[in-house]
Amino acid sequence: MLASDFINAWLVISVVFLLASIIKKSSLAVTLGLVFFLTSSMISSLLSSLMKLTNLDWLKYTPFNMLFLNFNESTASLEKVAHLNATQLGIGSLIYIIIFLIIGLLFYRRKEV
């Protein structure tokens, strides 16, 4: 349980770092980071419902779906919601963390501080 919370925290941190690196105004970056943090579970649920209604299988690989990692370990029935098992969610989350941190670092190096 602690590992999944740690990975989810790093996923959110990497998204916030990416937003802060891309957006020039820090107040807007902080606002978008908070909006992402507060609405991510709602967006995850909406995407899960959309996956059930349509054949858009690629939606299960979005960063929002990766936030189901800590729920998937505690309840086996949520594998039906996330459409991925805990291992796939963990690996996908780590991949997104690395991608977001690399892109954020590239933008941060070009940013005038």
Side-chain angles (χ1 to χ4, degrees):
M1 190 68 158
L2 290 175
S4 62
D5 291 336
F6 184 75
I7 291 172
N8 275 347
W10 268 101
L11 183 60
V12 172
I13 289 168
S14 65
V15 170
V16 171
F17 175 69
L18 176 65
L19 290 173
S21 298
I22 291 175
I23 300 171
K24 293 187 179 192
K25 294 186 177 185
S26 61
S27 59
L28 181 61
V30 169
T31 303
L32 287 176
L34 283 172
V35 168
F36 172 78
F37 178 71
L38 296 174
T39 61
S40 59
S41 63
M42 181 178 64
I43 293 171
S44 299
S45 299
L46 289 173
L47 287 176
S48 177
S49 299
L50 187 62
M51 279 189 281
K52 289 179 184 176
L53 297 174
T54 63
N55 287 333
L56 300 175
D57 288 334
W58 60 270
L59 287 176
K60 64 184 172 184
Y61 298 108
T62 61
F64 292 106
N65 197 37
M66 299 300 152
L67 294 172
F68 279 121
L69 178 62
N70 59 351
F71 299 118
N72 198 0
E73 282 185 354
S74 61
T75 308
S77 65
L78 280 176
E79 187 173 328
K80 294 177 183 176
V81 175
H83 301 284
L84 296 170
N85 61 31
T87 305
Q88 293 169 328
L89 288 172
I91 292 171
S93 295
L94 291 174
I95 290 170
Y96 273 119
I97 290 168
I98 292 168
I99 290 171
F100 292 155
L101 288 176
I102 289 172
I103 293 172
L105 185 62
L106 292 174
F107 276 98
Y108 183 75
R109 286 185 178 174
R110 294 183 183 171
K111 191 174 185 176
E112 294 179 15
V113 180

